[in-house]
Amino acid sequence: MLNILVTNDDGIRAKGLRTLIEIARPFGNITVVAPQDPMSGMGHAITVNRPLRLSLLKKEENYQEYVCVGTPVDCVKIGLKVVLENQKVDLILSGINHGSNASSNVIYSGTMGAAIEGSMEGIKSVGFSLLDYHHDADFSQASDFIRKIIADAIEMPIPKGISLNVNIPKAQKEDIKGIKVCKQADAYWVEDYIARKDPWGLDYYWLTGEFVDKNICPDSDIHALRENYISIVPVQYDLTAFDVIGKLKNLNS
């Protein structure tokens, strides 16, 4: 049986994680290591200034579940090195995130941070997100698609260093048109901060903003999601801008 590590960034109690575990269990031996608390927006953060605590919640045949006080990337690292003691892991699954990780959101995403960490270890890794931020979001309409994507990921040759960023529209199953492999949309957040006063009269700030996609591109993940397709973007952790290297040749000395 395959060895599969499952994690997320919404925390051990999140409904999306529970759904992903249920979908993944028939595929092999499942090890869950998930954050104790919600860790949205943590990206690729790791814990270096406090101890990591790890607690076993459940252990049964072909299934074990741990909670970690760290970030999603911490969960992958400690899952591979401590829980599984460097055993061979065939697949890492992260999610299902409550909310979009399409386009530039991938940079901030703890869900995708965990998947990218898996790809850095040479392990096939897939991050799943549903475009519904509600804590009680309905994941049932996407279950069959997620099951298919997991099965395909197991069989297909995904190059080392590549993870899959899967985003699912908020739609009924019969309204989802299919799956599209896409490029990352050139979209971004226009951000602002709301200034408020706490009960002691001290200033604090709350981040807000609007997500803007001015470059509507028919082969992007944002466009696919608007058309009720599930988007899959292959993501690499090598951030080198290869096409710019030659343009900077005068900086060589």
Side-chain angles (χ1 to χ4, degrees), residues 192-207:
D192 198 2
Y193 284 88
I194 300 171
R196 294 176 179 169
K197 298 281 187 183
D198 69 14
W200 296 272
L202 301 175
D203 293 330
Y204 72 93
Y205 300 89
W206 201 261
L207 178 64

Side-chain angles (χ1 to χ4, degrees), residues 37 41 65-66 80 107 109 151-152 157 159 173 188-189 203 223 246:
D37 302 306
E65 181 177 317
Y66 291 80
L80 295 175
I107 300 295
S109 167
D152 288 344
K173 180 179 178 181
Y188 55 92
W189 284 95
D203 293 330
H223 187 270

Side-chain angles (χ1 to χ4, degrees), residues 136-210:
D136 196 31
D138 181 9
F139 295 90
S140 62
Q141 75 274 25
S143 294
D144 288 344
F145 293 102
I146 292 172
R147 190 173 293 108
K148 176 186 178 345
I149 292 169
I150 292 173
D152 288 344
I154 290 168
E155 295 298 325
M156 72 175 65
I158 299 175
K160 184 180 184 298
I162 303 296
S163 56
L164 302 182
N165 182 18
V166 179
N167 282 271
I168 303 159
K170 182 182 178 182
Q172 296 301 311
K173 180 179 178 181
E174 59 270 20
D175 295 326
I176 297 177
K177 297 177 181 177
I179 298 170
K180 281 191 175 183
V181 178
C182 310
K183 72 175 186 178
Q184 180 177 309
D186 182 15
Y188 55 92
W189 284 95
V190 177
E191 296 170 332
D192 198 2
Y193 284 88
I194 300 171
R196 294 176 179 169
K197 298 281 187 183
D198 69 14
W200 296 272
L202 301 175
D203 293 330
Y204 72 93
Y205 300 89
W206 201 261
L207 178 64
T208 185
E210 179 186 3

Side-chain angles (χ1 to χ4, degrees), residues 15-62:
K15 185 177 178 181
L17 176 67
R18 295 294 136 192
T19 303
L20 185 57
I21 292 168
E22 181 180 343
I23 295 170
R25 288 195 72 165
F27 286 98
N29 300 310
I30 305 298
T31 297
V32 178
V33 183
Q36 176 176 285
D37 302 306
M39 289 283 172
S40 295
M42 294 302 291
H44 216 93
I46 56 173
T47 301
V48 296
N49 57 0
R50 59 184 173 87
L52 281 178
R53 310 285 183 184
L54 186 69
S55 301
L56 176 64
L57 299 182
K58 183 184 293 187
K59 193 175 184 70
E60 56 193 42
E61 186 176 5
N62 300 327

